[in-house]
């Protein structure tokens, strides 16, 4: 090998090294997030009664940061759990378990809730005790049975990252990382989780023709039973109606005569609130088993059987579930097997595949925030 | 001795008094909060409502039968809280609405003027009784009854809050 060749070889190696460093620098730096107000896109029939606090306007950089934080395991005491542990996108942001296990391996007391169309939610949790996502987010982050780490500790851990300091500065005006700001950014990301592209949405937009089963299921879902007029119904839309299939209501749906979990009564002390829980969104309901606040039903068929035949009487039972029947003088809905099947066909129309595969909601590149 | 026996009897009577028993069974007592654009926010219990003048309104229920509801005219409650009802219901105050909330999260609104007898003779009451008896737990203890309204959807049950607000 001559001197010239050695030099060329050396410069080639230097070039290679330089290229390698450049590429590694590029992959370890976050793509510069876009900045400016975030524009929510949703169908007109969802209405504009959205819930964004004045002190936390949604921005593109805030959503970018919030998404990183949503998937950030440093926010848990054992550095293994993130929000996404119990809110997995492919399961419409649930975890498929009746109760979740957090950093201490003690099961949570209630079922992990689906995250979709939270932009419109004004009361969070199964008992509605949080009035904003910001308030809600602090609870699972710090609860000993969930992520189990104080907000102060979380803020301190993130503060060692230049990337995070930069993103907090872009979002909040300075690089001070606080627990409150962590919750604010996560909330901004959660507000973008809009599900509006199911077959039902396309049906409402006159872009999809339902099958015979879906259509029959839809009619049963929407109608109250009226046996005197031979109108059959399952009365679901009383509590799950509207284009979003979400109404912000809280009911005792007859799971137990004497509930183990008192629900809202534990907060208000009012017996009328006994066994009362949030009526959850039915968006992507086929993906969010098991069902109810305690995950007692493994399948939608089990849920339909409950509403059709097994509603338990109690003083706080929702009035919409009392003495509603498809039989004259009947006490229960008494849906026929084929009617239950059709209602489940309709419920499957609420699955939004674009939502559960939307790359904007997925885990960001792991390298991006290091 | 006689006195002591009497005291004991009175004590036992108090214990088994159906009203006391009912209160005990019901846990905390339900209330209605009146707030928003009012001078004096108030929180009313069933007994407080009895201090107001009582009005009857007849309405057909879902069962097709007429029922007589007894309660307090909503405007009287709002006046007590200092809302701009009556002679004050002019100009920008006509842009106010009343948001009524139920314990299950259901909400409905009335324009403030819909409740004012200077504007309408239609009676809208916060009822506590049906046919002379307390409302059923699933309806009460407080339910709005709107006279002659065709749909029952604004006859909101289990009322917990009444808020007067300006339309923005």
């Amino acid at each position: 090998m001559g001197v010239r060749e050695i030099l060329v070889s050396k410069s080639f190696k230097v070039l290679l090294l330089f290229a390698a460093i450049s590429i590694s620098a590029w992959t370890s730096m976050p793509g510069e997030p876009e900045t400016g107000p975030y524009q929510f896109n949703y169908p007109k029939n969802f209405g504009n009664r959205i819930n964004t606090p004045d002190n936390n306007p949604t921005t593109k950089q805030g959503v970018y940061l919030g998404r990183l934080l949503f998937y950030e395991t440093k926010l848990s005491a054992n550095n293994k759990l993130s929000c996404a542990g119990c809110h997995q996108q492919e399961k419409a942001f649930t975890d498929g378990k009746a109760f979740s296990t957090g950093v201490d391996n003690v099961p949570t007391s209630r079922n992990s809730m689906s995250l979709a169309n939270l932009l419109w939610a004004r009361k969070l949790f199964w008992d509605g005790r949080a009035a904003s996502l910001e308030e809600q987010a602090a609870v699972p982050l710090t609860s000993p049975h969930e992520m189990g780490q104080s907000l102060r500790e979380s803020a301190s851990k993130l503060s060692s990252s230049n990337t995070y300091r930069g993103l907090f500065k872009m979002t909040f005006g300075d690089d001070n990382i606080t627990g409150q700001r962590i919750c604010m950014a996560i909330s901004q990301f959660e507000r973008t989780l809009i599900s509006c592209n199911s077959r039902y949405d396309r049906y409402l937009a006159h872009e999809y023709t339902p099958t015979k089963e879906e259509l029959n299921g839809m009619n049963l879902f929407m109608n109250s039973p009226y046996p005197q007029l031979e109108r059959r119904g399952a009365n679901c839309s009383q509590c799950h109606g509207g284009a979003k299939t979400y109404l912000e209501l809280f009911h005792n749906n007859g799971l137990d005569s004497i509930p183990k979990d008192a629900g809202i009564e534990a907060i208000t002390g009012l017996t009328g609130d006994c066994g009362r829980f949030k009526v959850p969104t039915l968006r992507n309901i086929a993906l969010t088993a098991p069902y109810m606040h305690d995950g007692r039903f493994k399948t939608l068929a089990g849920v339909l059987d409950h509403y059709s035949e097994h509603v338990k009487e109690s003083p706080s039972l929702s009035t919409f579930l009392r003495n509603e029947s498809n039989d004259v003088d009947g006490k229960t809905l008494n849906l026929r097997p084929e009617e239950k099947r059709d209602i489940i066909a309709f419920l499957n129309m609420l699955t939004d595949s674009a939502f559960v595969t939307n790359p904007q909601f997925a885990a960001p590149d792991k390298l991006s925030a290091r | 001795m006689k006195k002591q026996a009497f005291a004991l009897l009175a004590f036992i009577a108090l214990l088994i008094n159906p009203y006391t028993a009912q209160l005990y069974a019901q846990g905390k007592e339900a209330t209605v909060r009146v707030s928003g654009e009012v001078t004096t926010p108030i929180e009313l219990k069933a007994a407080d409502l009895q201090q107001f003048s009582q009005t009857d309104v007849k309405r057909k229920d879902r069962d097709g039968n007429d029922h007589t509801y007894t309660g307090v005219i909503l405007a009287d409650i709002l006046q007590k809280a200092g809302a701009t009802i009556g002679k004050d219901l002019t100009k920008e105050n006509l842009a106010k609405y009343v948001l009524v909330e139920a314990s299950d999260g259901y909400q409905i609104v009335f324009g403030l003027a819909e409740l004012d007898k200077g504007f309408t003779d239609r009676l809208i009451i916060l009822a506590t009784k049906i046919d002379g008896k307390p409302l059923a737990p699933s309806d009460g203890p407080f339910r709005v009854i709107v006279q002659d309204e065709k749909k029952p959807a604004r006859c909101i049950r289990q009322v917990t809050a009444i808020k007067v607000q300006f339309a923005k």
Side-chain angles (χ1 to χ4, degrees), chain A residues 49 249-251 276 324, chain B residues 28 62 103-104 107 158:
Chain A
R49 200 182 188 196
L249 295 174
F250 298 83
H251 281 284
R276 213 175 215 173
E324 293 285 341
Chain B
K28 208 170 141 189
R62 212 184 147 200
S103 59
D104 67 357
Q107 298 175 317
Q158 299 184 316

Side-chain angles (χ1 to χ4, degrees), chain A residues 82-147:
Chain A
S82 69
C83 305
C86 301
H87 299 288
Q88 302 160 16
Q89 185 184 11
E90 69 273 16
K91 295 188 177 74
F93 296 99
T94 59
D95 62 359
K97 298 172 185 166
F99 302 110
S100 314
T101 40
V103 292
D104 65 354
N105 286 322
V106 175
T108 52
S109 55
R110 291 176 185 157
N111 183 251
S112 165
M113 299 190 86
S114 171
L115 310 182
N117 300 336
L118 298 170
L119 181 59
W120 289 267
R122 282 164 284 124
K123 293 176 183 174
L124 287 301
F125 288 121
W126 277 106
D127 53 17
R129 67 187 186 275
S132 66
L133 283 167
E134 285 77 359
E135 190 185 332
Q136 186 277 336
V139 176
L141 284 168
T142 56
S143 160
H145 308 323
E146 297 181 62
M147 293 164 76

